[in-house]
């Protein structure tokens, strides 16, 4: 991959990663409720989903999803339903009050956070369609494909990890003072629960 093309890819990845979405909300929520360092597991899960999306597109399955209204709708509604489920569960959950840096609420295991991260990003058919349109811009069919895809995937994942962990999760740390009280923790649960539900609504309404 030429340097100029890679720099274009890098710039596009930065802009896309900084665009707020379900992944950013999930990362910030994990950071405040489970801790900044622990939130990396959710970020890793989201990257696994991105890898799956790229593999789907590379394998040509993305074309099937994009061209099949029924399949697209099934995935779209499943994704929206999962985000609504996360939102309602967060709103109704017990406030996760921090004391001396330790949480007294429900602690998610690394695997649970990773699984949630995978589902948040994976159950988004628009991501598949996006990568279907985005990937070909940076892949040259007249050059070795494996190395190009490795560079492409590596750039997408590294940029997203840095933005999610150091920006979104890091920014969320400044709000952790709210988790020191039951009232503050409950408000945060409601705020992020509503945000998940709003993203679900956007997923259904924006075509």
């Amino acid at each position: 991959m030429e340097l100029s093309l890679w720099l274009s890819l890098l710039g596009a990845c930065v802009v896309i990663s900084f665009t707020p979405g379900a992944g950013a909300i999930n990362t910030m929520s994990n950071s405040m409720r489970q801790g900044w360092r622990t939130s990396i597991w959710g970020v890793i899960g989201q990257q696994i989903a991105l890898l799956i999306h790229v593999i789907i597109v590379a394998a040509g399955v993305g074309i099937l999803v994009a061209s099949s209204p029924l399949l697209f709708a099934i995935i779209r509604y499943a994704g929206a339903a999962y985000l609504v489920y996360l939102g309602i569960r967060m709103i109704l959950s017990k406030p996760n009050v921090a004391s001396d840096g330790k949480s007294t609420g429900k602690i998610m295991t690394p695997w649970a956070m990773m699984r949630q991260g995978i589902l948040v990003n994976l159950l988004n058919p628009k991501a598949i369609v996006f990568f279907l349109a985005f990937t070909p811009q940076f892949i040259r069919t007249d050059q070795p494909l494996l190395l190009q895809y490795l560079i492409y995937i590596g750039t997408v994942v590294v940029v997203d990890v840095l933005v999610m962990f150091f920006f979104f999760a890091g920014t969320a740390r400044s709000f952790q003072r709210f988790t020191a009280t039951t009232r503050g923790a409950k408000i945060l649960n409601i705020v992020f629960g509503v945000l998940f539900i709003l993203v679900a609504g956007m997923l259904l309404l924006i075509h």
Side-chain angles (χ1 to χ4, degrees), residues 158-179:
V158 169
V159 169
D160 203 57
V161 168
L162 292 176
V163 172
M164 287 296 156
F165 189 61
F166 290 103
F167 179 75
F168 286 111
T171 299
R173 296 175 70 183
S174 62
F175 295 98
Q176 283 186 326
R177 63 183 182 276
F178 292 106
T179 64

Side-chain angles (χ1 to χ4, degrees), residues 62-111:
I63 297 176
L64 174 62
V65 175
S67 61
S68 173
L70 177 60
L71 184 57
F72 184 87
I74 290 174
I75 300 175
R76 183 161 65 100
Y77 282 110
Y82 182 66
L83 291 177
V84 170
Y85 160 74
L86 289 180
I88 293 175
R89 189 180 68 174
M90 188 168 292
I91 291 172
L92 299 178
S93 66
K94 178 182 177 181
N96 196 10
V97 182
S99 177
D100 298 326
K102 296 182 179 179
S103 298
T104 59
K106 181 180 179 181
I107 303 298
M108 294 178 67
T109 65
W111 165 242

Side-chain angles (χ1 to χ4, degrees), residues 6 46 49 52 61 89 116 123 131-132 144 164 173 178:
W6 180 78
Q46 291 169 198
I52 294 173
V61 180
R89 189 180 68 174
Q116 180 170 298
L123 292 175
F131 277 113
L132 187 62
M164 287 296 156
R173 296 175 70 183
F178 292 106

